Amino acid sequence: MKALIFNGALERRPFSTSGLLTTYFTEKLKMLGITHETFALADSGIPLYDITLTKTPLAVERMTQLFLDADIHFWLAPLYHGSIPGVMKNCLDWLEVTADAPQPYLTDKTVGMVCWADGLQAMQGINTMDAIAKSLRAWPLPFSVAMIRTSLFDQENRITPMYADKLDRLIDIATTKKIEKIVLADSL
């Protein structure tokens, strides 16, 4: 099993929200012994999608190979003005170069989604990613993590237990492909 962490933010700072989340996923996947790569948009060099080009840009070829090689994708995105960043959508649009492949786009890939926002609207980003993943013939997980950024970290920049539990559950569902009913002790 091979995983891809798709950091859809244009942040390069290691202590940015996307940087800390990427590190969290990296560490968890390492602990599980799952081979993984990170695709960071900020460092990718992906140009604007242009259907008139006669040759696919090298950065797009590299990106496409990473996306196709991974069995599981974790898409991480901030919410910008009610949706995912335009550069993230642009990147996913480039998967059109696989249209004539025997298994085009992201056919049968599993996609876990994480979105954060300053308010309560992060689910809008999840809905956008869900629609895109389905359009690309992938299988979005039935569990995603929408987060309020101001509640995401404690004073030491660690992910709060509430969100760590949700992220761990997402990783577990993605890597085991098993959804379990969770009974809370205080609900008995």
Side-chain angles (χ1 to χ4, degrees), residues 9-20:
L10 285 178
E11 300 174 305
R12 287 190 173 91
R13 298 168 292 129
F15 295 106
S16 66
T17 300
S18 65
L20 292 169

Side-chain angles (χ1 to χ4, degrees), residues 142-156:
F143 180 82
S144 53
V145 184
M147 301 181 279
I148 301 170
R149 195 179 56 78
T150 55
S151 302
L152 180 54
F153 302 107
D154 63 17
Q155 277 119 4
E156 284 82 41

Side-chain angles (χ1 to χ4, degrees), residues 13-81:
R13 298 168 292 129
F15 295 106
S16 66
T17 300
S18 65
L20 292 169
L21 287 170
T22 298
T23 299
Y24 188 87
F25 273 86
T26 298
E27 290 172 359
K28 291 294 179 174
L29 293 170
K30 270 186 202 173
M31 286 174 31
L32 294 170
I34 295 173
T35 304
H36 61 279
E37 292 212 42
T38 298
F39 182 79
L41 266 176
D43 301 321
S44 69
I46 299 294
L48 288 175
Y49 180 60
D50 183 352
I51 59 171
T52 65
L53 294 178
T54 56
K55 176 143 177 46
T56 304
L58 186 59
V60 172
E61 288 180 9
R62 180 182 179 280
M63 176 215 68
T64 302
Q65 199 58 54
L66 285 173
F67 277 62
L68 296 179
D69 287 348
D71 305 297
I72 304 165
H73 291 212
F74 294 102
W75 293 0
L76 315 177
L79 188 75
Y80 289 167
H81 308 286

Side-chain angles (χ1 to χ4, degrees), residues 121-132:
Q121 303 302 317
M123 200 63 204
Q124 289 176 216
I126 298 290
N127 290 336
T128 299
M129 289 187 282
D130 183 80
I132 294 168

